[in-house]
Amino acid sequence: MSDDRMESVLKEERVFPPPPSFAANALIGDMETYRREHRRSLEDPDGFWAEAAGELDWFRPWERVFDGSEAPFFQWFVGGKLNICHNAVDRWADGEKRDTPAILWEGEPGDQRQLTYGELKTEVSRFANVLKSLGIHKGDTVAIYLPMTPELAIAVLACARIGAIHSVIFAGFSADSIKDRVLDADSKMVITGDGGWRRGSVLPLKSVVDEGVEACACVDKVLVVPRNPGGERMACEMRPGRDFWYDEVVAGVSDECPCEEMDAEDMLFLLYTSGSTGKPKGIMHTVGGYSVYTYLTSKYVFDLKPEDIYWCSADIGWITGHSYIVYGPLQNGATVLMYEGAPNHPEPDRFWDIVDRYKVSIFYTAPTAIRAFMKWGDDWVEKHDLSSLRLLGTVGEPINPEAWMWYHRMIGKERCPIVDTWWQTETGGILLTPLPGVTPTKPGSATLPFFGVDAAVLDPEGNEVDAGLLAIRRPWPGILRGIWGDAERFRKTYWCNWDGRYYFPGDGARRDKDGYFWVVGRVDDVVNVSGHRIGTAELESVFVEHPNVAESAVIGVPHEVKGQGLVAFVLLRGRDAEGSEELRGELNDLVAKKIGKFARPEKIIFSADLPKTRSGKIMRRLLRDIATGQALGNVTTLADPSVVDSLKEKYQA
Ligand code: PRX
């Protein structure tokens, strides 16, 4: 975390109790209830989670709520049978919510669609039958690379319905990233589209997939969903025998597809995320625990009521979209708004225009978006009536108090509680969060643990401290079940500290006198750019693929809008020892090709040398000091201290 942010959160003493009118109508409206239930969830976790799970439908009840005998490979609801698609769709479609909107969708060009729970059930069943007709069975992995259209949610639910493991790949990833993920997961099918709109242009998804799966022998089918169902298709090259248009295959299938009875510990999905070393890792989530955890967190954190219009502006390509667009809200029978495109298309008021027109009541977004709105100016907000809003949320990175206050004043008009939710791809759902009718909020703090979560701030020896490493003391139902194909990496990454007694998320945190948590950012080499996790090692290995690059070091630096930006220090060899604009362009293109455009660094500094210890280790701390203009830390261990001065000059040039 930047020193600026540390200073501003250290000074932060404002407290905002929930507005009494909100608390009066909230599902949980007083601190006493939160404290009592939280205590109960820790003292009697089996009883607490059994009760929560009992609010969902099960085909067969579990025999044991929790089994920790194979720690850290925990199991929840052992022996239980259920299907999350049943709980998210059929439970409502076959009951009184048949005609209630499940999904309200708006495309970037302004086209609209609406699906009731009844219609969603039909669409999901048809999609599931298409998957079956193309040879997908329970336990197969299916990669999904789609724009934010209803079909993305439908495809995910259809996989869950038949027990196929979905592996959604965010549509901003490159062909190489698709290849890595498809091969690692051994996906048999890729579901993509003919295109999707972003900032006024069409993403050529199918051609990216074609390039990505070229060398993937495991893929035998590519299913292409038209962006405009029933309308004109965008031009795509189709390979006979491998590629199928969704609208053609679906014409022949039935509307009925029963939900597969899944074991609670059967896999539901894989989602790849970056770590501090190596390639992205496939985070594994299973059906039972994830269902219960996303259901309960959605219910209480968003205080969901039948009349709410709930909008989470994330993409389903990330965990936030999995848990809090698709599975959590739909398992609560909510009406979910989905928007396809950019927040500033055609103008920077698109989001407020949507809130106004759809009467959105709950809005969940990322701090990076809030900072962008602040920059675009208040006039864009003031043009719209935001009086439908009653609750705001943030996720993905620490929120600076200034952005929090702006969100509170400009968007919430000082009457909407803000839930700053801390969690990760690995946690499945929200772990630290205010409850909106209960918890007095402090700008920049994710406040207190959710039910069943026992969090602490520890030093490396395991002592509780005011500032140190965030640790979670016991498993909760939504915890990841492993890293796909790499049990060792799973143990090493999350269970290496404190003799494996606590889950280690990789974040640093502070705890204040009221026991509130202030998560300050990653303590490993993972950088959070606009809420996207990027491993610096991943980027470094991309740079060294270029023939002119001998070595590189990538660091995260504070960025006004993105939270953090990337700066690459690149050591050259060969013809272009000084570096050039051309080479800079080539390196940026390489990052776009290997990972995706969103991972391109803010700055590339070419250098003849990098600061190293005498044993040859790059001193990133010094690079960070250079990039943030700080006084340099200890340089006595450097092999060649003069390197630092020349880098400083270059950085400032
Ligand atoms: O560093 C924390 C930060 O985002 C990381 C998780 O990233 P990812 O798995 O991509 O999931 C993002 C959406 C859940 C965490 O390790 N982070 C997430 N939420 C917060 C946060 N940092 C501070 N405050 C938050 N509310």
Side-chain angles (χ1 to χ4, degrees):
M1 148 152 122
S2 73
D3 286 359
D4 283 357
R5 180 176 138 77
M6 180 58 101
E7 216 186 303
S8 73
V9 297
L10 281 175
K11 280 196 305 219
E12 188 53 61
E13 287 189 347
R14 288 170 285 201
V15 180
F16 297 86
S21 58
F22 190 101
N25 296 307
L27 293 176
I28 303 181
D30 64 281
M31 196 48 138
E32 180 40 37
T33 308
Y34 162 73
R35 295 246 182 247
R36 189 189 61 237
E37 286 301 291
H38 187 253
R39 206 176 317 120
R40 179 169 80 95
S41 72
L42 300 189
E43 284 169 1
D44 175 23
D46 285 12
F48 180 88
W49 288 114
E51 204 175 287
E55 294 181 24
L56 299 176
D57 286 350
W58 293 74
F59 301 133
R60 195 171 84 200
W62 55 91
E63 285 147 24
R64 262 166 306 144
V65 173
F66 175 69
D67 184 342
S69 59
E70 307 276 323
F73 299 91
F74 303 106
Q75 297 191 52
W76 285 87
F77 307 107
V78 182
K81 299 264 185 206
L82 78 167
N83 189 300
I84 195 168
C85 184
H86 169 88
N87 280 306
V89 180
D90 300 40
R91 194 154 71 111
W92 310 113
D94 298 343
E96 63 203 37
K97 289 205 175 197
R98 182 169 184 82
D99 300 321
T100 300
I103 295 178
L104 304 172
W105 176 81
E106 182 160 300
E108 194 183 71
D111 43 344
Q112 297 178 320
R113 281 167 66 196
Q114 175 175 329
L115 289 163
T116 63
Y117 272 97
E119 289 162 340
L120 183 61
K121 182 180 171 190
T122 307
E123 291 300 325
V124 170
S125 302
R126 284 152 64 85
F127 207 111
N129 282 331
V130 166
L131 297 179
K132 281 185 179 172
S133 76
L134 294 175
I136 298 299
H137 300 108
K138 179 178 174 186
D140 290 339
T141 56
V142 173
I144 303 179
Y145 187 74
L146 279 171
M148 273 287 286
T149 52
E151 280 69 23
L152 174 48
I154 292 167
V156 159
L157 289 162
C159 286
R161 192 171 189 87
I162 63 170
I165 301 164
H166 57 77
S167 165
V168 182
I169 303 170
F170 169 61
F173 274 113
S174 66
D176 282 40
S177 293
I178 297 175
K179 181 178 86 187
D180 292 345
R181 286 158 176 72
V182 163
L183 286 177
D184 188 76
D186 199 25
S187 296
K188 275 178 80 174
M189 176 190 274
V190 181
I191 304 173
T192 187
D194 53 355
W197 290 93
R198 187 83 194 172
R199 283 200 186 89
S201 37
V202 175
L203 305 169
L205 301 174
K206 173 66 167 58
S207 59
V208 181
V209 167
D210 285 343
E211 193 188 331
V213 303
E214 196 61 50
C216 300
C218 52
V219 173
D220 54 35
K221 300 279 189 314
V222 174
L223 183 60
V224 187
V225 183
R227 160 67 177 70
N228 308 312
E232 215 168 292
R233 288 177 188 161
M234 303 184 199
C236 286
E237 230 175 81
M238 300 291 283
R239 186 185 295 178
R242 187 196 70 176
D243 300 352
F244 297 84
W245 281 103
Y246 177 74
D247 49 350
E248 288 172 9
V249 191
V250 80
V253 305
S254 140
D255 288 359
E256 303 280 331
C257 176
C259 285
E260 188 75 31
E261 291 201 3
M262 302 294 286
D263 193 274
E265 283 299 335
D266 278 338
M267 285 269 303
L268 174 62
F269 67 85
L270 275 173
L271 187 59
Y272 284 81
T273 189
S274 292
S276 48
T277 54
K279 293 253 182 219
K281 47 200 176 185
I283 302 301
M284 296 161 65
H285 284 288
T286 55
V287 182
Y290 179 84
S291 294
V292 174
Y293 200 71
T294 52
Y295 163 73
L296 203 74
T297 46
S298 298
K299 175 174 171 179
Y300 289 127
V301 176
F302 300 114
D303 188 52
L304 284 170
K305 307 278 170 50
E307 57 281 5
D308 278 314
I309 306 291
Y310 166 92
W311 182 21
C312 165
S313 75
D315 193 292
I316 295 175
W318 307 108
I319 191 70
T320 305
H322 283 56
S323 300
Y324 298 112
I325 296 177
V326 182
Y327 289 121
L330 295 181
Q331 283 191 100
N332 280 277
T335 296
V336 175
L337 183 108
M338 268 178 83
Y339 166 60
E340 177 185 34
N344 54 351
H345 190 87
E347 300 280 7
D349 62 340
R350 184 62 181 268
F351 274 22
W352 317 125
D353 179 41
I354 291 176
V355 168
D356 189 352
R357 280 186 290 113
Y358 289 88
K359 303 289 166 238
V360 171
S361 57
I362 304 172
F363 178 59
Y364 190 34
T365 196
T368 184
I370 297 169
R371 288 188 297 264
F373 297 132
M374 284 171 76
K375 215 172 125 190
W376 293 332
D378 297 354
D379 291 354
W380 294 109
V381 183
E382 280 161 356
K383 281 169 66 179
H384 299 281
D385 174 9
L386 305 185
S387 60
S388 56
L389 288 171
R390 67 179 193 93
L391 173 59
L392 303 175
T394 74
V395 57
E397 47 170 324
I399 183 163
N400 46 315
E402 297 69 25
W404 195 102
M405 287 306 300
W406 184 88
Y407 200 32
H408 171 68
R409 260 199 317 267
M410 274 314 291
I411 308 303
K413 313 292 183 201
E414 300 183 5
R415 53 177 178 76
C416 302
I418 297 179
V419 287
D420 172 353
T421 61
W422 175 86
W423 59 294
Q424 312 179 290
T425 305
E426 293 88 337
T427 68
I430 295 165
L431 295 195
L432 300 177
T433 179
L435 292 186
V438 173
T439 320
T441 50
K442 301 182 187 184
S445 170
T447 75
L448 298 170
F450 188 72
F451 302 127
V453 176
D454 188 2
V457 176
L458 303 178
D459 68 11
E461 284 71 50
N463 305 303
E464 282 209 43
V465 287
D466 293 339
L469 306 171
L470 185 59
I472 313 295
R473 280 201 182 100
R474 66 173 80 213
W476 60 99
I479 192 171
L480 77 160
R481 298 304 196 263
I483 294 175
W484 183 253
D486 201 342
E488 199 39 43
R489 192 173 176 194
F490 172 59
R491 283 181 197 277
K492 267 205 197 128
T493 310
Y494 307 106
W495 308 97
C496 54
N497 291 336
W498 313 299
D499 305 322
R501 281 171 299 144
Y502 310 125
Y503 171 79
F504 172 53
D507 278 342
R510 191 166 75 72
R511 210 164 175 192
D512 69 16
K513 59 182 186 337
D514 299 321
Y516 277 37
F517 290 84
W518 299 74
V519 178
V520 296
R522 306 287 306 192
V523 295
D524 54 8
D525 290 322
V526 172
V527 182
N528 200 325
V529 181
S530 303
H532 302 328
R533 258 162 83 165
I534 300 169
T536 53
E538 227 180 295
L539 215 58
E540 288 161 7
S541 67
V542 169
F543 286 126
V544 296
E545 284 184 34
H546 193 285
N548 288 39
V549 175
E551 200 173 1
S552 87
V554 175
I555 55 164
V557 295
H559 187 283
E560 198 193 340
V561 174
K562 299 177 179 176
Q564 283 187 293
L566 297 158
V567 172
F569 292 85
V570 173
L571 207 124
L572 298 176
R573 65 164 147 233
R575 66 169 163 109
D576 204 355
E578 279 297 298
S580 60
E581 279 315 304
E582 193 191 341
L583 183 58
R584 189 167 276 124
E586 284 172 25
L587 292 177
N588 271 318
D589 290 349
L590 198 60
V591 174
K593 177 172 167 356
K594 293 283 166 182
I595 303 177
K597 283 188 185 157
F598 64 87
R600 288 184 302 198
E602 302 301 315
K603 233 177 177 175
I604 299 179
I605 313 285
F606 296 120
S607 166
D609 211 347
L610 290 170
K612 288 187 184 162
T613 60
R614 286 181 202 106
S615 60
K617 214 171 154 244
I618 296 175
M619 294 182 73
R620 283 154 205 288
R621 180 178 49 79
L622 278 183
L623 294 176
R624 255 176 241 129
D625 290 346
I626 291 168
T628 50
Q630 310 267 340
L632 293 182
N634 187 355
V635 292
T636 53
T637 48
L638 274 181
D640 174 7
S642 70
V643 172
V644 170
D645 290 330
S646 91
L647 277 179
K648 251 166 96 180
E649 256 170 49
K650 284 201 169 150
Y651 193 84
Q652 281 151 9

